[in-house]
Amino acid sequence: MKARNAALLLAPAALALTIFVILPLMWVVRTSFNHTVDGAYMVSAFTFENYTRFLGSGWYLVNTLWFSIRVAILTTAISVLLGYPVALYIAGTRGVQRNVLMTMVLSPLLIGLVTLVYGWIVIFRGGGLLNSLMIALRVYDEPVRYMWDLKGVVILLVYIGMPYIVLSLLDSIERINPSFVEAARNVGASRWRAFWSITFPLTMPGLYAGLVIVFTLNFSAFAVPLMVGATDTQMIGLVIYREALLNNDLPFASSLSVIMIAANATILLGMSFLFGKLILNRLEAKR
Amino acid sequence: MNDSTGKAIQVEGVCKRYGHVSAVNDVSFDVRHGEFVSLLGPSGCGKTTTLRMIAGFVMASDGHIRINGRDVTYLPPEKREVGFVFQNYALWPHMTVAENVAFGLKLRKRDKAFIRNKVEESLAVTGLSGFEGRLPRQLSGGQQQRVALARALALEPQLLLMDEPLSNLDRALRVAMRRELKKLQQRLNMTTLYVTHDQEEALSMSDRVVIMSGGEIVRVARPLEVYEDPQSEFVADFVGTTNFFDGIVSDIGEGVATVKVGETLTLRVGNRISAAPGSAVRVLLRPERVRILAERREGANMLAARVDFIEYYGPTLRYTVALPGGEALFVEAHDIHGSAQIGETVWLSIEPDHFRLIDRKGAPAS
Ligand SMILES: Nc1ncnc2c1ncn2[C@@H]1O[C@H](COP(=O)(O)OP(=O)(O)OP(=O)(O)O)[C@@H](O)[C@H]1O
Ligand SMILES: [Mg+2]
């Protein structure tokens, strides 16, 4: 009876998942083996040519796959470094102060991406806010190029990734019983030591969840590199978009998608293994 | 190590305010070396706050706290060298039992062999040998409680603070652990300050009990004194059950006074009477100090009463009886056999020395 009710409740989600995720995915996998005739139409086939074209090309591997991974690692790492203290700080606030801070942190998610990018253009421009500020602070003398450059892409990906990191960390931090830290202080740990030995390990579930989301988003990012990137910021999501919609090479775009998903899955699996070994296996009840 | 005063803890005029709320108000008491002292009081009376100020988790708004003569009022918790056992145990969930116990020793940079021995020893003392590799979530509540204790004991603190360490355990285990804890405390001769709202726990374990109410101390005394001579209505009511009579002292004789309660009841009350004739007093009487008889006998206080209600508690029976003037009275009796029935008239015999007197304002009248 109970199981049947649960199945009924799950049915719409299962249906949506099938229609919007599983079927398209199957179609993508199938298409990735098709052949493209020059002049832009595809014929049904079963060939690995799309895969060898990408995987056999050192240029693609370095400038697209490896490049995307590097950008994703870099931006995720910066988001964590910046987001962790922010989450810690917010966890200690209440009331109005907290609401203001939360709104600020969540703003990248509340403002549409296009508005966001236009806003950042004002900041990034040659004589824009960022350059004026940096020059005024004598960090550098000449305006630096942020717009249509990797720097702008990285800054924006970090900015958009932060809310996910902060939210998932905040959840973990607030689950920690305050007496855990008190107990550590009681047996002789300084604030600093109590943080590293108790608070930090106990926030790993939140950090892990945030990492998974932000890494995946940034690894497959396409809108930000499209709008802010340069000709050499060939992130894999952007390349897929170009092949599919501009070059109309669906089989190649599909094979790139499969490779992207596989690469992401491999990296996440590695991360899951690492975090599990380090700490998560201890915290989660074995089923 | 031991200072000349012989005091392990001195709490002097300590206050804690949260905004306009006064959680602890001008609290002063001492704990002597090797002594077991309980902080007892109803929920919200400031016991935990007081204990946490001594441990350094919260800062006192006013007053001073000394540990072994040293003023620690402004010292951070890690510098105070006191053991603390939390009500919820606060075991670190990502560390095994052994790691939990070893953490403080590692911070003290003791060598590996020493730490291993000490962990082993602490776990043996608390009956946890063999549980070293378990995680806290793989333990029962009672076992977690022992780990929390072992973690504190491993550092050989001169002073152990405990905040209702047994309150999350079931009754049988609580009683067993209570004894174990007390034996351990005596064996290690460890100064202990123990917070509880369980009077039985406080009375059975403590050398002295500090009773708190509304953020203030109302009584500091040995368990026997607390129970037998509560000296205030609050203590009498909070520790055990008490019958109250409001009356007027009508006559004072040789060690025995006469107190008139209402129109029909006259009590012959012994024991250190200093109240003048005519003064208003409150008479306290423990239910188990009343003897219940089937027939009238000779005695200083022999009262007829009607049985209204009987509760069976196992070892005892509690009668609710009504006196002719309408006063209700609890009587506790052990002899289950030949007991009275509801509606029957019985005789109550009370020794004059079993009454306690306080004045109407609540202060002792003796
Ligand atoms: N952080 C705080 N902020 C505001 N008020 C507090 C705070 N901590 C405690 N109080 C208040 O101080 C009073 C005493 O609290 P405390 O925890 O010391 O009580 P307690 O005697 O330990 O009670 P219990 O038996 O329920 O544990 C309570 O009225 C409580 O609401
Ligand atoms: Mg408490």
Side-chain angles (χ1 to χ4, degrees):
Chain A
M1 186 63 202
K2 239 188 176 161
R4 192 138 142 232
N5 285 345
L8 274 174
L9 286 173
L10 279 177
L15 191 70
L17 191 73
T18 312
I19 294 176
F20 297 113
V21 178
I22 296 178
L23 288 180
L25 202 63
M26 284 165 67
W27 182 86
V28 165
V29 172
R30 176 66 192 90
T31 308
S32 70
F33 295 106
N34 282 347
H35 174 69
T36 304
V37 177
D38 280 351
Y41 63 92
M42 69 176 179
V43 291
S44 190
F46 199 84
T47 167
F48 284 97
E49 64 187 24
N50 301 305
Y51 287 94
T52 48
R53 184 175 153 200
F54 184 89
L55 297 172
S57 148
W59 191 90
Y60 269 130
L61 284 180
V62 172
N63 292 300
T64 296
L65 185 62
W66 179 228
F67 177 72
S68 302
I69 292 174
R70 272 164 49 212
V71 169
I73 290 176
L74 179 72
T75 52
T76 309
I78 299 176
S79 299
V80 169
L81 288 180
L82 296 180
Y84 206 108
V86 172
L88 272 184
Y89 185 80
I90 293 180
T93 60
R94 300 265 166 283
V96 180
Q97 194 191 3
R98 187 189 185 101
N99 290 341
V100 170
L101 287 172
M102 285 303 279
T103 312
M104 279 169 63
V105 167
L106 294 182
S107 61
L109 304 181
L110 304 175
I111 307 167
L113 188 61
V114 175
T115 325
L116 204 75
V117 170
Y118 277 114
W120 277 93
I121 288 175
V122 177
I123 296 170
F124 282 159
R125 270 185 323 192
L129 258 162
L130 190 54
N131 272 319
S132 313
L133 186 73
M134 289 308 203
I135 290 168
L137 291 174
R138 305 207 183 279
V139 179
Y140 46 71
D141 305 325
E142 294 289 304
V144 168
R145 187 185 179 92
Y146 293 104
M147 212 47 212
W148 297 292
D149 189 272
L150 181 58
K151 288 196 229 34
V153 173
V154 169
I155 291 177
L156 262 179
L157 288 180
V158 166
Y159 179 59
I160 298 169
M162 279 264 284
Y164 298 102
I165 298 281
V166 171
L167 278 186
S168 55
L169 272 177
L170 198 57
D171 178 65
S172 263
I173 294 169
E174 302 206 312
R175 275 169 202 271
I176 299 176
N177 189 330
S179 59
F180 290 166
V181 172
E182 287 170 354
R185 302 286 302 277
N186 176 251
V187 299
S190 62
R191 260 170 207 283
W192 184 244
R193 184 61 202 255
F195 172 79
W196 284 111
S197 298
I198 310 299
T199 311
F200 186 71
L202 293 179
T203 54
M204 285 302 107
L207 186 68
Y208 174 69
L211 281 181
V212 166
I213 297 171
V214 174
F215 183 87
T216 303
L217 283 177
N218 291 1
F219 176 52
S220 58
F222 113 88
V224 170
L226 176 71
M227 289 190 277
V228 192
T231 43
D232 63 347
T233 45
Q234 300 287 335
M235 292 192 60
I236 192 163
L238 185 57
V239 175
I240 293 170
Y241 159 80
R242 226 180 26 234
E243 292 299 336
L245 295 174
L246 302 184
N247 297 348
N248 209 11
D249 191 343
L250 286 180
F252 187 47
S254 296
S255 73
L256 287 182
S257 304
V258 172
I259 289 166
M260 181 178 83
I261 292 168
N264 193 37
T266 309
I267 291 166
L268 294 190
L269 229 84
M271 221 147 77
S272 142
F273 181 76
L274 188 71
F275 270 79
K277 265 267 176 299
L278 281 180
I279 178 108
L280 296 190
N281 291 348
R282 286 190 160 203
L283 293 178
E284 278 152 25
K286 295 243 160 32
R287 273 151 229 278
Chain B
M1 207 159 62
N2 292 7
D3 70 310
S4 54
T5 63
K7 306 278 173 59
I9 309 175
Q10 290 159 281
V11 176
E12 298 163 357
V14 163
C15 300
K16 180 67 198 178
R17 288 176 289 270
Y18 291 105
H20 296 294
V21 182
S22 176
V24 170
N25 188 18
D26 194 17
V27 158
S28 303
F29 65 94
D30 296 330
V31 180
R32 293 188 277 266
H33 287 292
E35 203 178 16
F36 192 118
V37 172
S38 289
L39 284 178
L40 176 68
S43 189
C45 70
K47 308 180 293 288
T48 297
T49 307
T50 304
L51 201 70
R52 288 166 57 79
M53 283 192 283
I54 297 170
F57 304 143
V58 289
M59 185 81 82
S61 313
D62 223 329
H64 286 272
I65 295 167
R66 275 177 235 282
I67 295 177
N68 294 323
R70 181 171 67 144
D71 190 332
V72 299
T73 316
Y74 304 106
L75 221 55
E78 65 268 28
K79 299 258 167 66
R80 296 197 183 193
E81 305 266 328
V82 298
F84 199 100
V85 177
F86 292 80
Q87 183 171 11
N88 60 11
Y89 316 136
L91 300 178
W92 304 303
H94 58 301
M95 297 189 193
T96 61
V97 167
E99 287 166 342
N100 263 279
V101 177
F103 184 66
L105 295 163
K106 281 186 190 146
L107 291 175
R108 282 164 180 69
K109 306 233 160 27
R110 312 307 282 266
D111 63 72
K112 280 222 169 75
F114 177 87
I115 293 178
R116 199 173 334 107
N117 285 336
K118 198 72 212 170
V119 169
E120 214 170 274
E121 183 191 315
S122 310
L123 291 178
V125 163
T126 49
L128 278 170
S129 302
F131 288 88
E132 288 82 359
R134 296 242 198 136
L135 289 164
R137 63 176 158 79
Q138 298 167 325
L139 299 175
S140 73
Q143 290 162 343
Q144 290 181 26
Q145 205 284 328
R146 287 161 196 263
V147 178
L149 187 62
R151 182 172 70 181
L153 293 180
L155 298 173
E156 299 178 14
Q158 296 173 39
L159 191 60
L160 189 59
L161 309 178
M162 294 194 254
D163 189 1
E164 307 202 25
L166 307 181
S167 65
N168 291 339
L169 307 178
D170 68 45
R171 194 183 147 74
L173 189 56
R174 203 158 64 226
V175 173
M177 285 298 292
R178 189 197 286 171
R179 285 189 180 185
E180 265 183 63
L181 215 56
K182 181 64 189 171
K183 276 193 207 152
L184 197 62
Q185 183 265 336
Q186 282 173 331
R187 185 148 60 84
L188 305 176
N189 190 31
M190 193 156 43
T191 313
T192 305
L193 182 57
Y194 187 97
V195 162
T196 180
H197 64 249
D198 181 334
Q199 44 152 321
E200 217 177 270
E201 230 168 79
L203 294 181
S204 64
M205 296 170 86
S206 317
D207 297 315
R208 283 189 305 149
V209 182
V210 175
I211 297 178
M212 293 184 70
S213 167
E216 298 184 4
I217 291 183
V218 292
R219 184 88 194 272
V220 182
R222 292 184 299 118
L224 188 83
E225 293 166 343
V226 167
Y227 188 80
E228 295 297 338
D229 189 15
Q231 294 191 358
S232 75
E233 193 175 333
F234 173 80
V235 176
D237 214 19
F238 185 71
V239 183
T241 311
T242 304
N243 296 298
F244 297 97
F245 304 96
D246 282 340
I248 308 283
V249 178
S250 64
D251 177 52
I252 298 193
E254 275 295 294
V256 180
T258 308
V259 177
K260 293 198 84 73
V261 179
E263 294 296 313
T264 51
L265 183 57
T266 303
L267 300 174
R268 310 268 295 151
V269 176
N271 176 269
R272 295 174 295 150
I273 304 300
S274 68
S279 54
V281 291
R282 181 158 285 181
V283 182
L284 315 181
L285 177 63
R286 295 287 189 192
E288 71 277 11
R289 294 299 188 199
V290 182
R291 285 186 60 203
I292 197 159
L293 306 169
E295 282 146 36
R296 190 190 170 108
R297 284 188 215 159
E298 278 311 301
N301 293 291
M302 189 59 56
L303 312 172
R306 191 186 68 241
V307 178
D308 275 351
F309 199 64
I310 304 175
E311 288 156 285
Y312 177 63
Y313 284 133
T316 57
L317 277 174
R318 175 178 290 178
Y319 299 92
T320 309
V321 302
L323 298 177
E327 298 90 350
L329 195 65
F330 289 131
V331 178
E332 216 155 88
H334 291 274
D335 53 2
I336 309 299
H337 307 290
S339 56
Q341 303 296 314
I342 291 180
E344 275 179 18
T345 297
V346 292
W347 291 90
L348 308 179
S349 164
I350 306 157
E351 294 296 318
D353 283 352
H354 288 158
F355 290 107
R356 294 289 176 271
L357 283 189
I358 54 179
D359 71 18
R360 288 281 177 85
K361 288 187 284 301
S366 49

